[in-house]
Amino acid sequence: MGDEYAISGEYLHVLSEPAWHALRTPVTEALRGAVGDGTLLDVGAGTGLGTEVLATAVPDADVFAVEPSPVLRAVLLSRMAARPDLRRRVTVVAADALGADLPARLGAVLAMNMIGHLDPDGRRTFLRRVAERLAPGAPLVLNLQPPAEPTPVPFAVFGTVSVGRHTYEGGGSAEPSGPDTVTWKMQYRMLDADDTVLREDHADYGWHVISAEALLADLAEAGLSGEFGSLDVVRAVRRS
Ligand SMILES: C[S@@+](CC[C@H](N)C(=O)[O-])C[C@H]1O[C@@H](n2cnc3c(N)ncnc32)[C@H](O)[C@@H]1O
């Protein structure tokens, strides 16, 4: 399998940090009920920005960070290994949401900014796999990203971040590519101090769109009861 993040992987961590600055509080809030006598699971962990929030929510609990992309996993592994507290607790797993061997009891599950990578069957299978293992009262925390329908999204710059003399810029547009999919056309640029474009990279990836109602229905079918919080962060727990 190719690495969908082979090109964007270089840029993703620095460009995701501002978004995670905003997500930290709603995700921490949604992680209430997480328990330390089960493994904490971050699925599609990327470079570990959510893994850090998850690990902080339940100090001392074991964490599995599942990441299929080799380039993102390299950043994830390096970042976790660089922090003595996390190096002891975080196991980096080279697998995807459906192929990963999951621990029998999960103390909380995080799946941020990734659910659109799964097709509808895969999404439902993933939700069932998680629901079967979640400890009572322990949350699955995930989010939806626009669009909710397969509609065009005009190009926009999502963010810029400066590191040294360079500014990194990420942006993109989306086009419908099927009844429930869009293709995101991402653009990454690196600019010099005088705004000269030094590098420009492009990456396309498919994304399965899902409405809030459809996600809540899939969660219910898996035996989970979900609710939306701020920044569209969803918290779901097993129905008793
Ligand atoms: C936009 S990134 C989000 C990364 C991280 N969760 C965050 O919020 O910073 C999407 C992540 O989902 C991962 N991914 C893609 N397909 C996946 C799959 N089938 N199962 C699990 N993760 C997947 C990608 O490799 C990538 O790390």
Side-chain angles (χ1 to χ4, degrees):
M1 202 174 83
D3 183 353
E4 270 190 305
Y5 284 81
I7 292 170
S8 58
E10 177 182 348
Y11 302 92
L12 202 73
H13 184 71
V14 286
L15 288 170
S16 299
E17 278 183 317
W20 269 99
H21 190 70
L23 282 170
R24 176 174 286 273
T25 299
V27 168
T28 300
E29 158 65 15
L31 283 168
R32 69 188 182 280
V35 295
D37 63 346
T39 305
L40 309 178
L41 178 69
D42 188 5
V43 183
T47 64
L49 286 159
T51 316
E52 291 170 321
V53 176
L54 183 60
T56 303
V58 191
D60 294 333
D62 267 357
V63 183
F64 274 26
V66 173
E67 176 48 53
S69 156
V71 62
L72 295 183
R73 205 166 57 238
V75 181
L76 171 68
L77 180 62
S78 308
R79 293 184 67 249
M80 297 301 115
R83 280 188 49 178
D85 52 333
L86 297 184
R87 186 179 183 120
R88 191 175 49 81
R89 295 168 54 200
V90 178
T91 302
V92 173
V93 179
D96 65 19
L98 304 183
D101 278 337
L102 299 184
R105 182 179 166 89
L106 297 172
V109 178
L110 195 59
M112 289 295 293
N113 304 310
M114 66 70 68
I115 201 72
H117 279 302
L118 304 180
D119 66 23
D121 280 349
R123 182 173 67 233
R124 289 177 200 126
T125 303
F126 167 64
L127 295 178
R128 273 199 305 276
R129 294 190 80 204
V130 164
E132 284 163 4
R133 293 168 173 84
L134 267 180
L140 160 66
V141 176
L142 72 163
N143 64 340
L144 291 181
Q145 291 174 295
E149 307 276 330
T151 47
V153 180
F155 179 84
V157 170
F158 301 143
T160 57
V161 173
S162 293
V163 181
R165 294 182 182 190
H166 294 157
T167 297
Y168 295 84
E169 176 196 277
S173 61
E175 288 298 331
S177 50
D180 80 333
T181 53
V182 294
T183 298
W184 276 101
K185 296 181 172 300
M186 305 300 294
Q187 174 183 282
Y188 299 95
R189 301 199 305 174
M190 190 179 86
L191 301 103
D192 209 348
D194 64 0
D195 281 346
T196 306
V197 177
L198 300 175
R199 289 177 50 203
E200 180 168 321
D201 282 312
H202 295 266
D204 290 1
Y205 64 90
W207 190 255
H208 295 271
V209 298
I210 178 170
S211 66
E213 297 71 29
L215 177 67
L216 292 175
D218 282 0
L219 288 166
E221 194 184 297
L224 296 165
S225 168
E227 60 179 16
F228 277 78
S230 59
L231 295 185
D232 276 348
V233 173
V234 181
R235 177 177 191 270
V237 291
R238 267 169 49 185
R239 280 181 302 182
S240 42

